[in-house]
Amino acid sequence: MRAFWAGISVVAVVLAATPAPARERSPSRACRAAYEGAQESERSGHLREGRAQLLECAKASCGALQKKCASRAGQLASDIALIEPVVTDAGGAALLDAQVKVDGELLTSRLDGRPLAVDPGAHQLSVTARVGPWPGREVSTTQAITIEQGQRGPIAIALPPLDDGALATAPDLTGDAGTSAAASKTPAPANPEHEPAVTVRHHGPSAFAYLLGGVGLLGVGAGGLLTYWGKTDNTALAGCAPNCAPASVAHIRELYLASDVSLAAGGAMLGLAALLFSTTSHVEVQPVHSGALASFRGAF
């Protein structure tokens, strides 16, 4: 009897001394839940979700389930499709800044060449991108696709023309379809920076102004000369005053009168000539939307 209990004691001591890794540990409740959830996700066609759950139970802490979860996660990785969207505009140009969604789930906001993981089956693929000159206009398209199990490779997606969407949503601001269409064909006004410069044509004094000036100078000169002669003759009459001949006195009066008339006429002509010389007339040509506008101006 003592020998029996001694043997039991030895076995207990040996089991207690055996390292933990050498014994197979039972999986925890979290590991079992991850494994069972992965099976359910796989049955419903959500392979990506199922693989993520299998990776949770493929840890060393899950004991007996570790190898089973790791093996099944590798099989699902080969069953999940990897697609490469190739998005082009209506002209066939490739677009990189494109947002890709599958069944409303955002997969990427920019195409960088990396494949996108998608569960096999029927899906709605949506793509949104900006096209046209900067900053561009947002264009979207949605199409039904069927992804095969383990599918690999590119998927071409062509965006619709920009004008189609613009014409379909453009409001009629005039209330008249014909007027609106005609307005859309009217070219926009040219950029003022590229319009022709204003052309100014100046006209100087005419020949008539020079003629008046010359005659005016002659008139003033003649008036001065007549005044000089009148004063000279008047000085000569000082010796006979007050008994001078009436004809001599009348002659001096005629000289002074002629001098006054000549000075007045010459001064008037010089004033008119000066007015013509100081007047500058020019023609301005200004560009307008329908052609050019010409105007005549005079500056004093």
PDB file of all heavy atoms in Angstrom, residues 206-223:
ATOM      1  N   SER A 206      -3.972 124.443 -88.191  1.00  0.00           N
ATOM      2  CA  SER A 206      -4.119 124.429 -89.648  1.00  0.00           C
ATOM      3  C   SER A 206      -3.346 125.604 -90.279  1.00  0.00           C
ATOM      4  O   SER A 206      -2.833 126.496 -89.597  1.00  0.00           O
ATOM      5  CB  SER A 206      -5.598 124.534 -90.017  1.00  0.00           C
ATOM      6  OG  SER A 206      -6.144 125.759 -89.561  1.00  0.00           O
ATOM      7  N   ALA A 207      -3.306 125.617 -91.609  1.00  0.00           N
ATOM      8  CA  ALA A 207      -2.627 126.707 -92.325  1.00  0.00           C
ATOM      9  C   ALA A 207      -3.322 128.039 -92.118  1.00  0.00           C
ATOM     10  O   ALA A 207      -2.685 129.107 -92.141  1.00  0.00           O
ATOM     11  CB  ALA A 207      -2.569 126.368 -93.821  1.00  0.00           C
ATOM     12  N   PHE A 208      -4.646 127.969 -91.878  1.00  0.00           N
ATOM     13  CA  PHE A 208      -5.390 129.208 -91.659  1.00  0.00           C
ATOM     14  C   PHE A 208      -4.923 129.920 -90.383  1.00  0.00           C
ATOM     15  O   PHE A 208      -4.888 131.155 -90.318  1.00  0.00           O
ATOM     16  CB  PHE A 208      -6.881 128.890 -91.577  1.00  0.00           C
ATOM     17  CG  PHE A 208      -7.758 130.090 -91.391  1.00  0.00           C
ATOM     18  CD1 PHE A 208      -7.903 131.049 -92.382  1.00  0.00           C
ATOM     19  CD2 PHE A 208      -8.442 130.288 -90.191  1.00  0.00           C
ATOM     20  CE1 PHE A 208      -8.702 132.159 -92.210  1.00  0.00           C
ATOM     21  CE2 PHE A 208      -9.252 131.393 -90.018  1.00  0.00           C
ATOM     22  CZ  PHE A 208      -9.382 132.342 -91.027  1.00  0.00           C
ATOM     23  N   ALA A 209      -4.576 129.109 -89.382  1.00  0.00           N
ATOM     24  CA  ALA A 209      -4.088 129.707 -88.135  1.00  0.00           C
ATOM     25  C   ALA A 209      -2.778 130.455 -88.375  1.00  0.00           C
ATOM     26  O   ALA A 209      -2.566 131.557 -87.844  1.00  0.00           O
ATOM     27  CB  ALA A 209      -3.891 128.617 -87.077  1.00  0.00           C
ATOM     28  N   TYR A 210      -1.892 129.850 -89.185  1.00  0.00           N
ATOM     29  CA  TYR A 210      -0.635 130.533 -89.499  1.00  0.00           C
ATOM     30  C   TYR A 210      -0.890 131.812 -90.298  1.00  0.00           C
ATOM     31  O   TYR A 210      -0.216 132.839 -90.100  1.00  0.00           O
ATOM     32  CB  TYR A 210       0.286 129.600 -90.279  1.00  0.00           C
ATOM     33  CG  TYR A 210       0.881 128.505 -89.437  1.00  0.00           C
ATOM     34  CD1 TYR A 210       0.365 127.220 -89.484  1.00  0.00           C
ATOM     35  CD2 TYR A 210       1.965 128.758 -88.606  1.00  0.00           C
ATOM     36  CE1 TYR A 210       0.906 126.208 -88.727  1.00  0.00           C
ATOM     37  CE2 TYR A 210       2.515 127.752 -87.837  1.00  0.00           C
ATOM     38  CZ  TYR A 210       1.980 126.464 -87.901  1.00  0.00           C
ATOM     39  OH  TYR A 210       2.522 125.476 -87.144  1.00  0.00           O
ATOM     40  N   LEU A 211      -1.856 131.794 -91.239  1.00  0.00           N
ATOM     41  CA  LEU A 211      -2.167 132.974 -92.043  1.00  0.00           C
ATOM     42  C   LEU A 211      -2.701 134.106 -91.176  1.00  0.00           C
ATOM     43  O   LEU A 211      -2.290 135.272 -91.312  1.00  0.00           O
ATOM     44  CB  LEU A 211      -3.183 132.609 -93.121  1.00  0.00           C
ATOM     45  CG  LEU A 211      -3.646 133.750 -94.029  1.00  0.00           C
ATOM     46  CD1 LEU A 211      -2.468 134.324 -94.817  1.00  0.00           C
ATOM     47  CD2 LEU A 211      -4.732 133.261 -95.006  1.00  0.00           C
ATOM     48  N   LEU A 212      -3.632 133.753 -90.258  1.00  0.00           N
ATOM     49  CA  LEU A 212      -4.157 134.790 -89.368  1.00  0.00           C
ATOM     50  C   LEU A 212      -3.061 135.373 -88.496  1.00  0.00           C
ATOM     51  O   LEU A 212      -3.007 136.590 -88.245  1.00  0.00           O
ATOM     52  CB  LEU A 212      -5.266 134.187 -88.480  1.00  0.00           C
ATOM     53  CG  LEU A 212      -6.619 133.955 -89.137  1.00  0.00           C
ATOM     54  CD1 LEU A 212      -7.579 133.310 -88.149  1.00  0.00           C
ATOM     55  CD2 LEU A 212      -7.214 135.258 -89.671  1.00  0.00           C
ATOM     56  N   GLY A 213      -2.171 134.527 -88.025  1.00  0.00           N
ATOM     57  CA  GLY A 213      -1.087 135.024 -87.199  1.00  0.00           C
ATOM     58  C   GLY A 213      -0.179 135.987 -87.964  1.00  0.00           C
ATOM     59  O   GLY A 213       0.243 137.032 -87.437  1.00  0.00           O
ATOM     60  N   GLY A 214       0.109 135.637 -89.224  1.00  0.00           N
ATOM     61  CA  GLY A 214       0.969 136.527 -90.019  1.00  0.00           C
ATOM     62  C   GLY A 214       0.316 137.854 -90.304  1.00  0.00           C
ATOM     63  O   GLY A 214       0.950 138.933 -90.171  1.00  0.00           O
ATOM     64  N   VAL A 215      -0.968 137.832 -90.688  1.00  0.00           N
ATOM     65  CA  VAL A 215      -1.679 139.088 -90.965  1.00  0.00           C
ATOM     66  C   VAL A 215      -1.813 139.924 -89.702  1.00  0.00           C
ATOM     67  O   VAL A 215      -1.702 141.174 -89.727  1.00  0.00           O
ATOM     68  CB  VAL A 215      -3.060 138.783 -91.584  1.00  0.00           C
ATOM     69  CG1 VAL A 215      -3.883 140.067 -91.750  1.00  0.00           C
ATOM     70  CG2 VAL A 215      -2.892 138.106 -92.935  1.00  0.00           C
ATOM     71  N   GLY A 216      -2.059 139.244 -88.550  1.00  0.00           N
ATOM     72  CA  GLY A 216      -2.169 139.985 -87.298  1.00  0.00           C
ATOM     73  C   GLY A 216      -0.873 140.687 -86.948  1.00  0.00           C
ATOM     74  O   GLY A 216      -0.879 141.837 -86.463  1.00  0.00           O
ATOM     75  N   LEU A 217       0.273 140.013 -87.167  1.00  0.00           N
ATOM     76  CA  LEU A 217       1.564 140.652 -86.891  1.00  0.00           C
ATOM     77  C   LEU A 217       1.778 141.862 -87.794  1.00  0.00           C
ATOM     78  O   LEU A 217       2.296 142.922 -87.357  1.00  0.00           O
ATOM     79  CB  LEU A 217       2.691 139.639 -87.078  1.00  0.00           C
ATOM     80  CG  LEU A 217       2.791 138.548 -86.011  1.00  0.00           C
ATOM     81  CD1 LEU A 217       3.883 137.541 -86.407  1.00  0.00           C
ATOM     82  CD2 LEU A 217       3.096 139.157 -84.641  1.00  0.00           C
ATOM     83  N   LEU A 218       1.397 141.733 -89.073  1.00  0.00           N
ATOM     84  CA  LEU A 218       1.526 142.867 -89.984  1.00  0.00           C
ATOM     85  C   LEU A 218       0.654 144.034 -89.545  1.00  0.00           C
ATOM     86  O   LEU A 218       1.061 145.214 -89.609  1.00  0.00           O
ATOM     87  CB  LEU A 218       1.154 142.440 -91.408  1.00  0.00           C
ATOM     88  CG  LEU A 218       2.115 141.472 -92.106  1.00  0.00           C
ATOM     89  CD1 LEU A 218       1.580 141.073 -93.481  1.00  0.00           C
ATOM     90  CD2 LEU A 218       3.494 142.122 -92.255  1.00  0.00           C
ATOM     91  N   GLY A 219      -0.579 143.708 -89.075  1.00  0.00           N
ATOM     92  CA  GLY A 219      -1.476 144.782 -88.633  1.00  0.00           C
ATOM     93  C   GLY A 219      -0.927 145.504 -87.424  1.00  0.00           C
ATOM     94  O   GLY A 219      -0.970 146.741 -87.334  1.00  0.00           O
ATOM     95  N   VAL A 220      -0.415 144.767 -86.472  1.00  0.00           N
ATOM     96  CA  VAL A 220       0.154 145.409 -85.284  1.00  0.00           C
ATOM     97  C   VAL A 220       1.377 146.231 -85.670  1.00  0.00           C
ATOM     98  O   VAL A 220       1.590 147.369 -85.178  1.00  0.00           O
ATOM     99  CB  VAL A 220       0.507 144.345 -84.229  1.00  0.00           C
ATOM    100  CG1 VAL A 220       1.284 144.966 -83.076  1.00  0.00           C
ATOM    101  CG2 VAL A 220      -0.755 143.682 -83.709  1.00  0.00           C
ATOM    102  N   GLY A 221       2.210 145.669 -86.577  1.00  0.00           N
ATOM    103  CA  GLY A 221       3.394 146.426 -87.013  1.00  0.00           C
ATOM    104  C   GLY A 221       3.012 147.709 -87.732  1.00  0.00           C
ATOM    105  O   GLY A 221       3.617 148.787 -87.509  1.00  0.00           O
ATOM    106  N   ALA A 222       2.005 147.610 -88.611  1.00  0.00           N
ATOM    107  CA  ALA A 222       1.564 148.820 -89.322  1.00  0.00           C
ATOM    108  C   ALA A 222       0.993 149.844 -88.364  1.00  0.00           C
ATOM    109  O   ALA A 222       1.218 151.064 -88.497  1.00  0.00           O
ATOM    110  CB  ALA A 222       0.517 148.428 -90.377  1.00  0.00           C
ATOM    111  N   GLY A 223       0.249 149.390 -87.350  1.00  0.00           N
ATOM    112  CA  GLY A 223      -0.303 150.332 -86.367  1.00  0.00           C
ATOM    113  C   GLY A 223       0.794 151.032 -85.602  1.00  0.00           C
ATOM    114  O   GLY A 223       0.715 152.240 -85.329  1.00  0.00           O
TER     115      GLY A 223
END
